[in-house]
């Protein structure tokens, strides 16, 4: 082996090598180097792009996980929180079409890098209010630690100055891989939200020993801002590699002779002199803009594309609204903490979605399903997914017993307007505010809005816990003796933990079922568009989803949820604040009902897509699809099918081509 190596070294160092041999060696050497360069470049690009998807998905999912924290921190209703969540998509409106249309002609890696910097700046900006709005103040009856005091929550003496209801804190931070990583992002986003929810909102700025509430308190607000700073740093790091990537990557030898015109093959091109002088690289923006309106007209003339777009818009309205307020629903319906809610969603629901998307792609590949089969699979997953959603109506908890809101004081009937019902004979001698929200749990199992409204006249503190005594409103109807109460609302009924477990199981199955149709639907979308319109079509599709679903869905879902509020808080400067207590039954019917109605409408559009495909597909197309060839999105003649139709299908196709766009 060593001898052979020495001979080769001597041979190649000899100046008398024949020209043919030298040319052959250089050809093989350059081909090997080009192959290595190509593979390395593609892997670097895919790795960097995957990290970008991870950063974007983490930021978006973390925003969902902080909805309830932001609502309590700034004392705002769900409808306004929905506007904040929807505004996350507004930044795409001005440039998404231009980027999707002109991006293929420009330096795309640098465009992606610039987008990462803008995304990180926006993420940092979300966290800025924490540093300018002052410290968080929560409502809590003042008490002395580890002592029995004579402070009376029930202020009987009108000359006694009412104590502030707000306690000031004291001051002191390879193909398919991209989509897979994009699914991993939300997992870490919700887990990050769970971690930050356990940390007090003003951590690093106040003495934590002075904080008298815990993550289990309804007034607790976690360090929501911390996750945005982390997400912003990740976005900056994700954008760095793209500033050092070339405008084009070398094209693999195995695909240099391919006649395809996909976006992937356009990006991975050989940097040769001929291609540098190609027409599309020399075209000016004005010349490229000439094809904009004709392309748009051509695209919207495709009935399959339009129907699928409508179905997707309505379905995403359903899914985005459901996901946005799922943490709030779990917290209010089942009495769970924000930290536990985000942990459950991130560790159980999101992996189910990822597994569903993977399963859909695996089914498509294993059974070589054509366009018509993809439409059937997408429709079936939606139908059975929303059918499972129906069962969640029976898996809710009843309203908590809250004196003056859901139950009466000692048997007196609550009035139509709940605010006057907060006052009763047992607390008529107290100077109580109806706007306070510092709930306590009486030993009778009833929650009282405040110690004052419970008629408590003494208290004792032990660490962060407080026990109230001589509460005239606390007691059973059989006994007239006053009783005690502890800080915090009473737990939900005994059946609620069991219902929460059932909810999790059905929710995971539903998430998986709905996600199975994701990949078939995406393949259906791509196979029904002309090759040169794919990038533009995906841009329009993404824009429509964000404008008509991503922005409005959180808003009107929030407005609908606000209608189920039983007790509103009040801002320090006056006006209505955040909702303190929801009607559990009404919240369940509004939240699940709106999701189900939208999902049902989307199913009708999916049926229309299937009907059009069946009508315009020939038996020959189905046979070809069954044999592993590409199906057609509907044509009437052979010429139209392969040349002129809006539903033109590429004759050159390799597996997983769509995932490389």
């Amino acid at each position: 082996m060593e001898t052979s190596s020495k001979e080769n070294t001597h041979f190649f160092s000899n100046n008398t090598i024949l020209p043919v041999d030298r040319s052959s060696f250089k050809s093989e050497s350059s081909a090997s180097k080009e192959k290595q360069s190509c593979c390395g470049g593609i892997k670097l690009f895919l790795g960097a792009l995957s990290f970008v998807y991870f950063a974007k998905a983490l930021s978006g999912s973390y925003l969902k996980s902080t909805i309830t924290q932001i609502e309590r921190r700034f004392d705002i209703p769900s409808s306004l929180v929905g506007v904040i969540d929807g505004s996350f998509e507004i930044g795409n409106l001005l440039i998404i079409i231009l980027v999707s249309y002109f991006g293929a002609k420009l330096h795309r890696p640098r465009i992606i890098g610039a987008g990462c910097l803008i995304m990180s700046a926006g993420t940092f900006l979300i966290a800025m209010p924490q540093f300018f709005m002052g410290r968080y103040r929560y409502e809590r009856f003042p008490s002395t630690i580890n002592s029995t005091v004579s402070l009376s929550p029930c202020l009987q003496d009108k000359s006694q100055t009412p104590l502030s209801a707000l306690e000031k804190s004291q001051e002191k931070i390879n193909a398919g891989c991209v989509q897979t990583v994009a699914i991993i992002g939300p997992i870490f986003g919700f887990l990050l939200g769970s971690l930050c929810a356990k940390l007090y909102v003003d951590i690093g700025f106040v003495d934590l020993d002075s904080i008298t509430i815990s993550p289990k308190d309804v007034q607790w607000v976690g360090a929501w801002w911390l996750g945005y700073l982390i997400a912003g740093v990740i976005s900056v790091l994700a954008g760095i590699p793209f500033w050092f990537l070339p405008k084009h990557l070398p094209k693999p030898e195995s695909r240099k002779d391919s006649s395809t015109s996909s976006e992937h093959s356009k990006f991975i091109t050989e940097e040769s002199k001929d291609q540098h002088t190609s027409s599309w690289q020399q075209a000016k923006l004005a010349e490229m803009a000439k094809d904009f309106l004709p392309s748009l007209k051509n695209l919207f003339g495709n009935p399959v594309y339009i129907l699928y777009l409508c179905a997707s818009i309505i379905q995403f309205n359903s899914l985005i609204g459901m996901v946005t307020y799922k943490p709030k629903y779990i917290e209010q319906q089942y009495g769970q903490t924000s930290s536990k809610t985000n942990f459950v969603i991130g560790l159980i629901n999101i992996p189910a979605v990822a597994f569903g998307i993977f399963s859909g792609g695996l089914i498509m590949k294993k059974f070589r399903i054509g366009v018509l089969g993809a439409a059937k699979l997408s429709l079936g997953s939606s139908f059975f997914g929303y059918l499972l959603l129906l069962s969640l109506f029976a898996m809710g908890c009843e309203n908590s017993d809250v004196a003056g809101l859901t139950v009466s004081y000692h048997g007196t009937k609550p009035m139509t307007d709940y605010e006057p019902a907060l006052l009763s004979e047992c607390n008529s001698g107290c100077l109580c505010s109806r706007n306070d929200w510092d709930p306590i749990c009486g030993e009778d199992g009833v929650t009282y809005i405040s110690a004052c409204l419970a008629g408590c006249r003494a208290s004792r503190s032990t660490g962060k816990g407080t026990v109230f005594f001589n509460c005239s409103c606390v007691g059973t109807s059989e006994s007239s003796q006053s009783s005690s109460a502890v800080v915090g609302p009473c737990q939900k009924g005994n059946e609620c933990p069991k219902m929460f477990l059932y909810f999790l199981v059905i929710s995971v199955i539903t998430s998986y079922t709905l996600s199975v149709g994701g990949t078939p639907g995406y393949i259906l979308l791509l196979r029904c568009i002309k090759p040169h319109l794919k990038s533009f079509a995906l841009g329009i599709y993404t824009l429509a989803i964000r404008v008509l679903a991503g922005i409005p869905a959180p808003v009107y879902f929030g407005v609908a949820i606000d209608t189920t509020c039983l007790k509103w808080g009040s801002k320090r400067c006056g006006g209505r604040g955040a909702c303190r207590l929801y009607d559990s039954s009404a919240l369940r019917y509004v939240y699940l009902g709106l999701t189900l109605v939208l999902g049902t409408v989307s199913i009708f559009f999916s049926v229309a897509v299937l009907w059009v495909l069946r009508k315009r597909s020939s038996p020959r197309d189905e046979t070809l699809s069954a044999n592993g060839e590409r199906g057609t999105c509907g044509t009437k003649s052979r010429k139209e099918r392969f040349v002129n139709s809006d539903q033109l299908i590429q004759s050159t196709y390799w597996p997983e081509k769509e995932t490389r766009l």
Side-chain angles (χ1 to χ4, degrees):
M1 193 69 180
E2 293 179 358
T3 304
S4 177
S5 176
K6 291 180 180 179
E7 290 177 353
N8 290 337
T9 303
H10 175 73
F11 176 76
F12 286 117
S13 62
N14 197 331
N15 294 328
T16 60
I17 299 176
L18 293 175
V20 175
D21 294 334
R22 178 179 298 176
S23 175
S24 175
F25 168 72
K26 287 184 177 180
S27 177
E28 294 177 359
S29 177
S30 61
S32 177
K33 291 181 179 179
E34 182 180 1
K35 183 177 181 181
Q36 293 178 355
S37 175
C38 174
C39 294
I42 293 176
K43 290 180 180 179
L44 177 62
F45 176 76
L46 283 178
L49 188 62
S50 298
F51 194 35
V52 170
Y53 268 68
F54 172 82
K56 180 181 181 299
L58 185 144
S59 301
S61 59
Y62 183 77
L63 176 63
K64 305 290 185 185
S65 71
T66 58
I67 288 296
T68 57
Q69 306 287 314
I70 293 175
E71 185 176 326
R72 281 197 292 264
R73 172 63 178 87
F74 300 104
D75 217 4
I76 54 180
S78 297
S79 56
L80 184 54
V81 174
V83 174
I84 296 174
D85 183 82
S87 65
F88 191 77
E89 303 288 353
I90 293 178
N92 299 282
L93 302 184
L94 299 177
I95 61 172
I96 189 171
I97 294 183
L98 296 178
V99 170
S100 65
Y101 186 70
F102 296 110
K105 286 83 176 175
L106 304 177
H107 199 300
R108 284 189 282 190
R110 291 183 180 176
I111 293 178
I112 297 174
C116 291
L117 293 180
I118 296 174
M119 183 170 65
S120 64
T123 309
F124 287 134
L125 192 62
I126 296 177
M128 288 301 102
Q130 170 65 21
F131 304 98
F132 301 114
M133 296 290 291
R135 307 282 75 85
Y136 172 57
R137 298 180 178 184
Y138 52 90
E139 301 171 4
R140 178 52 55 90
F141 177 76
S143 58
T144 304
I145 298 178
N146 294 328
S147 66
T148 302
V149 296
S150 59
L151 289 176
S152 174
C154 177
L155 302 177
Q156 294 179 327
D157 186 0
K158 294 186 178 180
S159 64
Q160 184 177 354
T161 304
L163 297 173
S164 174
L166 300 173
E167 177 178 335
K168 295 183 179 179
S169 301
Q170 301 178 3
E171 292 190 43
K172 267 202 171 187
I173 252 191
N174 198 334
C177 113
V178 172
Q179 299 296 334
T180 303
V181 175
I183 292 297
I184 296 176
I187 297 178
F188 283 88
F190 277 100
L191 292 180
L192 179 62
S194 175
L195 175 63
C196 293
K198 292 181 179 180
L199 305 176
Y200 185 64
V201 61
D202 292 324
I203 184 174
F205 300 97
V206 298
D207 181 11
L208 297 181
D209 293 333
S210 65
I211 306 302
T212 59
I213 58 176
S214 67
K216 294 183 179 180
D217 284 284
V218 293
Q219 298 165 319
W220 177 269
V221 174
W224 60 273
W225 52 273
L226 184 59
Y228 288 110
L229 298 182
I230 296 175
V233 172
I234 293 176
S235 297
V236 172
L237 296 177
I240 292 177
F242 290 95
W243 295 99
F244 302 96
L245 287 175
K247 186 175 182 180
H248 306 290
L249 294 178
K251 186 177 180 181
E253 287 290 335
S254 59
R255 293 182 186 171
K256 282 188 177 181
D257 297 331
S258 175
S259 60
T260 180
S261 60
S262 69
E263 288 300 307
H264 182 263
S265 61
K266 286 181 180 179
F267 178 57
I268 306 178
T269 56
E270 184 179 11
E271 293 186 277
S272 61
K273 294 182 180 180
D274 294 337
Q275 288 176 327
H276 272 295
T277 58
S278 60
S279 60
W280 68 268
Q281 288 178 328
Q282 293 179 340
K284 298 180 180 179
L285 294 179
E287 296 176 353
M288 291 186 292
K290 291 181 180 179
D291 293 332
F292 182 82
L293 291 179
S295 298
L296 189 65
K297 182 179 179 181
N298 202 338
L299 193 62
F300 282 96
N302 188 332
V304 176
Y305 177 79
I306 291 299
L307 288 173
Y308 182 77
L309 180 63
C310 292
S312 298
I313 289 173
I314 298 175
Q315 186 176 38
F316 272 98
N317 269 272
S318 170
L319 298 178
I320 291 174
M322 180 177 66
V323 171
T324 300
Y325 292 100
K326 193 167 191 176
K328 171 184 279 291
Y329 179 77
I330 293 176
E331 291 179 33
Q332 294 293 331
Q333 188 71 211
Y334 303 102
Q336 303 297 320
T337 64
S338 297
S339 178
K340 183 176 181 180
T341 298
N342 292 327
F343 183 80
V344 167
I345 294 176
L347 205 62
I348 299 179
N349 276 91
I350 303 300
V353 173
F355 187 57
I357 294 175
F358 175 78
S359 299
L362 186 63
I363 293 172
M364 290 286 295
K365 182 178 181 180
K366 183 175 181 60
F367 297 99
R368 298 183 178 181
I369 297 177
V371 175
L372 194 59
K376 293 178 181 178
L377 183 57
S378 178
L379 174 61
S381 69
S382 297
F383 176 78
F384 287 107
Y386 287 108
L387 192 64
L388 285 170
L389 194 66
L390 275 173
S391 62
L392 295 181
F393 282 96
M395 300 176 188
C397 299
E398 297 298 326
N399 284 321
S400 300
D401 291 339
V402 182
L405 294 181
T406 61
V407 296
S408 62
Y409 288 95
H410 298 301
T412 57
K413 290 184 178 181
M415 301 177 63
T416 303
D417 187 359
Y418 69 85
E419 287 191 352
L422 295 179
L423 300 179
S424 180
E425 294 179 0
C426 61
N427 58 26
S428 59
C430 302
L431 300 177
C432 303
S433 172
R434 298 171 182 172
N435 297 325
D436 289 347
W437 179 253
D438 187 10
I440 63 172
C441 179
E443 63 179 25
D444 56 354
V446 176
T447 298
Y448 297 86
I449 291 178
S450 67
C452 181
L453 288 172
C456 301
R457 291 172 172 80
S459 64
R460 182 182 66 204
S461 297
T462 305
K464 293 186 178 182
T466 303
V467 179
F468 298 94
F469 299 99
N470 299 328
C471 302
S472 57
C473 295
V474 178
T476 60
S477 58
E478 292 83 7
S479 175
S480 60
Q481 297 179 353
S482 59
S483 303
S484 62
V486 296
V487 171
C490 298
Q491 296 296 322
K492 293 269 188 175
N494 296 330
E495 295 294 322
C496 201
K498 186 186 297 184
M499 288 296 178
F500 179 55
L501 181 60
Y502 294 156
F503 170 83
L504 289 181
V505 173
I506 298 299
S507 178
V508 167
I509 298 175
T510 302
S511 299
Y512 171 80
T513 306
L514 289 173
S515 302
V516 168
T519 301
Y522 187 70
I523 299 300
L524 169 65
L525 174 67
L526 291 175
R527 291 187 183 180
C528 292
I529 305 170
K530 284 185 177 181
H532 68 280
L533 292 177
K534 286 190 176 184
S535 177
F536 188 43
L538 290 176
I540 294 293
Y541 179 83
T542 305
L543 174 67
I545 295 298
R546 289 177 172 174
V547 174
L548 302 179
I551 295 176
V555 177
Y556 65 77
F557 262 81
V559 172
I561 288 175
D562 280 342
T563 62
T564 67
C565 184
L566 292 176
K567 176 70 172 68
W568 288 99
S570 59
K571 297 181 179 179
R572 288 175 293 171
C573 56
R576 193 174 74 175
C579 183
R580 308 301 191 190
L581 182 68
Y582 290 89
D583 185 333
S584 296
S585 299
L587 175 63
R588 181 167 66 254
Y589 287 115
V590 167
Y591 173 76
L592 296 178
L594 191 54
T595 302
L596 191 62
V597 168
L598 291 171
T600 303
V601 175
S602 71
I603 289 177
F604 283 110
F605 278 99
S606 298
V607 171
V609 171
L610 184 60
W611 180 79
V612 171
L613 289 175
R614 279 186 174 277
K615 183 178 179 181
R616 304 182 68 175
S617 296
S618 65
R620 174 181 174 82
D621 298 327
E622 288 300 300
T623 303
L624 290 174
S625 297
N627 291 331
E629 301 294 334
R630 304 204 78 176
T632 180
C633 284
T635 52
K636 292 184 178 181
S637 67
R638 191 182 191 88
K639 182 179 180 180
E640 289 177 341
R641 179 159 59 247
F642 293 103
V643 182
N644 297 323
S645 174
D646 290 344
Q647 289 77 40
L648 180 68
I649 303 303
Q650 301 179 55
S651 57
T652 303
Y653 175 72
W654 60 81
E656 300 176 346
K657 182 176 184 179
E658 285 79 6
T659 60
R660 294 172 181 252
L661 294 179

